[in-house]
Amino acid sequence: MLSLQEMSDRLEIHDLIARYAHAIDDQDWDALDRVFTPDAVIDYSELGGAKGNRAETKAYLAQAMPNFSAFQHLSATTRLDIDGDRAKARTILFNPMVMPHDGKQQVFFIGLWYCDELARTPEGWRITHRREQKCWSFNAPEGMLP
């Protein structure tokens, strides 16, 4: 049986993962300050994106995301391993995106995992390291993904 602390930790981490998805979909880059530690490493490179700390990632997203006319981030089935004030999580992401391509709007889909390392901070749980691990893509414009 889970203790109250374990239940609280799990709920807080699930909420953190949801807050990330909403921050990206709302293009609210400052909301990422409540998701990642200042020195977090965020690695989107496996899908052709940037790798950097929180500030660098916010700048990258502010430049990259307006290239898409629509997108959603659906996070699901998070596996959590909590060890005191540290945790590891692996979360499925289903990500439909729309972008202009060859003069028309093209919808494509990406399936990936977020591989996260987290820490309990005075402000609550925060992600200290996030790596996107590609699983599959469908209908992505040529040259869009490695």
Side-chain angles (χ1 to χ4, degrees):
M1 181 177 281
L2 295 174
S3 69
L4 287 176
Q5 184 64 58
E6 290 167 323
M7 287 187 274
S8 177
D9 289 342
R10 288 181 174 279
L11 286 170
E12 289 175 41
I13 292 170
H14 280 280
D15 182 63
L16 182 69
I17 292 166
R19 280 188 284 146
Y20 171 83
H22 285 275
I24 300 300
D25 289 343
D26 294 340
Q27 297 186 53
D28 181 1
W29 314 129
D30 288 335
L32 296 176
D33 295 347
R34 295 179 304 281
V35 174
F36 294 103
T37 59
D39 62 346
V41 174
I42 301 117
D43 185 356
Y44 302 136
S45 63
E46 193 167 317
L47 288 140
K51 178 179 179 180
N53 64 27
R54 186 175 75 191
E56 293 164 335
T57 298
K58 288 168 57 173
Y60 165 74
L61 290 168
Q63 176 222 355
M65 295 309 288
N67 293 314
F68 302 96
S69 53
F71 43 83
Q72 286 185 315
H73 290 72
L74 173 63
S75 305
T77 63
T78 299
R79 182 185 70 213
L80 281 175
D81 297 307
I82 301 172
D83 184 13
D85 292 338
R86 295 282 186 187
K88 290 187 178 187
R90 187 170 188 240
T91 303
I92 289 174
L93 176 73
F94 175 69
N95 185 200
M97 303 183 86
V98 181
M99 70 178 296
H101 183 71
D102 290 338
K104 56 187 169 184
Q105 296 293 309
Q106 181 168 340
V107 179
F108 65 100
F109 305 90
I110 301 171
L112 59 90
W113 288 279
Y114 290 134
C115 301
D116 295 330
E117 296 175 18
L118 305 101
R120 185 190 323 269
T121 73
E123 296 79 32
W125 284 96
R126 297 292 186 265
I127 298 171
T128 62
H129 187 272
R130 166 163 279 185
R131 179 177 63 90
E132 288 184 340
Q133 180 184 11
K134 182 180 175 185
C135 181
W136 59 271
S137 65
F138 175 76
N139 207 33
E142 190 170 321
M144 178 70 193
L145 302 172

